[in-house]
Amino acid sequence: MRALARTAAAAATALALLLTGCSGEDDGADGKIRIRFQSLAWQKESVDINRQLVKEWNASHPGVEVQYVQGSWDSVHDQLLTSFEGDEAPDVIHDASDDLADFAYGGYLADLRTLLPDRLHDDIPAQSWQTATFDGGVYGVPFLQEPRVLIANTKILRESGVRIPTPERPWSWPEFRRITKELTGKGRYGIAWPLKEPVSVTLNLGLSAGGELFHRDADGKVTIESGEGDQVVPGTVHDQVNTDHSAARTALGMGGGDTLPGLFGGKYAMVPLGFSYRQQVAEQAPKGFEWTVLPAPAGSGGLAQGVSPQTLSVAEDSPHKKEAVEFIDFLLLPANMVRLAKGDWMLPTGTAALADPSLHTTDLGWATGAALATALRPAPAQSVRGYPEWKDKVATPALQEYYSGAIGADELRKRLVDDGNRVLARYQR
């Protein structure tokens, strides 16, 4: 959902955003402070909620006017970089934690440690704060997150007689592999893995099997080491595709939404997707289609998963940091955080918001997601300098070739580790 495109189209979008006012205007003669909030909300429901919250703030804070600016996930990295370098950045910045490292280390984002109110700091768990912490500083407020879940065809599961997993008793990875074989039949695969972008899926689910891959020593130097736990998830996917033939090979090049027609049509019994994809399922499924949300498999790490929450940051050059943080605090009041979470079909990071009864209903799988929230951890590599290059030039092609059967496990390990460490070394000299 959050592809950071670096293309001419992205550059054009960045320029358009700048021209429509990403930069802060001078405060007017009326004495009002004006701050700009760039939101990346894109679904109508989410955009409407964000705009409504801005309207509510402005009505209750006449001395500080927030101006809503619409951004885009597709071009946010390049657009922000352009705006930072041109001293035209918005005051309040909506992004995701795995996009913050370069901006934090580059001095473009404000360290929020002395600005955050105690209420907001204490409401969000420590593991969520870690996703936006770089070199000891806090450069964003994590507020929305989503686990990866299994969205399954209820009728197929019911007719197969397989054990239905719950967060209290999930499938193990070996059991998951066996069950996808049982669910495979004439014209149907047990699962479809949409792995057009394979790296984050592999690393984030790998935490459940005890995988870490990236290891930081006492001096802060990061190296890549592939242990037994790091091989569970890629090995399972590889064997489902190439040995068991229980996973659709054609799905490997797909994005998540591309698999939904096959799920609706009975071609796939299950698809692993981000929690927010439930909205597309609910809105696009044909009449009578029965579906359910299941937890992803668990291993030695339990239900642990890596996540990169959506974040709200403040530009270092903003002349109104205090007011910007006060607006963030307003946006993330528990009741407002619930509204934002439901608008994006995601989970709030705040403990008070997460306790809201509306997020614990069995309807639309909310209860399953909420039960997974405490197991979410920072994505393994988001604070690693050099990770984007490793992901694009090393890990993505290596995993794609491995999942398709073009290379074996030894070659995959060699490329991820040996080639990967050469990339990281350049960033840590």
Side-chain angles (χ1 to χ4, degrees), residues 172-245:
S172 67
W173 283 100
E175 185 181 14
F176 170 62
R177 180 182 171 189
R178 175 178 58 79
I179 284 173
T180 56
K181 289 174 65 176
E182 292 182 24
L183 294 175
T184 299
K186 186 177 181 180
R188 184 178 74 219
Y189 293 96
I191 195 160
W193 285 95
L195 292 174
K196 184 178 181 179
E197 301 286 345
V199 181
S200 63
V201 177
T202 304
L203 294 182
N204 290 343
L205 288 180
L207 290 183
S208 69
E212 295 182 29
L213 201 64
F214 292 87
H215 300 265
R216 192 181 298 272
D217 64 21
D219 296 327
K221 183 179 180 181
V222 178
T223 55
I224 303 173
E225 301 172 25
S226 181
E228 183 177 344
D230 297 299
Q231 300 165 41
V232 172
V233 172
T236 299
V237 176
H238 173 275
D239 291 345
Q240 286 173 323
V241 173
N242 299 285
T243 303
D244 305 337
H245 307 293

Side-chain angles (χ1 to χ4, degrees), residues 132-163:
T133 300
F134 305 94
D135 199 23
V138 174
Y139 295 94
V141 181
F143 72 107
L144 293 180
Q145 58 188 348
E146 62 175 329
R148 191 163 292 269
V149 295
L150 298 170
I151 297 182
N153 183 315
T154 303
K155 181 180 178 181
I156 293 175
L157 290 183
R158 185 169 57 241
E159 293 177 349
S160 71
V162 300
R163 181 180 76 82

Side-chain angles (χ1 to χ4, degrees), residues 94 141-145 309-312 332 337 340 347-350:
H94 181 188
V141 181
F143 72 107
L144 293 180
Q145 58 188 348
Q310 293 186 24
T311 55
L312 294 171
L332 304 185
M337 195 184 283
L340 291 167
L347 297 174
T349 58

Side-chain angles (χ1 to χ4, degrees), residues 255-329:
D258 299 331
T259 61
L260 294 183
L263 178 69
F264 300 152
K267 184 177 180 180
Y268 317 131
M270 299 182 292
V271 181
L273 294 168
F275 194 55
S276 62
Y277 273 94
R278 295 170 303 126
Q279 180 179 20
Q280 292 185 47
V281 176
E283 294 178 351
Q284 298 175 16
K287 186 176 181 180
F289 179 76
E290 299 178 65
W291 58 283
T292 189
V293 177
L294 308 175
S300 62
L303 288 168
Q305 286 188 40
V307 293
S308 299
Q310 293 186 24
T311 55
L312 294 171
S313 301
V314 176
E316 174 61 27
D317 288 343
S318 171
H320 302 302
K321 295 184 182 66
K322 175 177 175 291
E323 291 79 10
V325 171
E326 289 173 351
F327 172 66
I328 291 174
D329 185 43

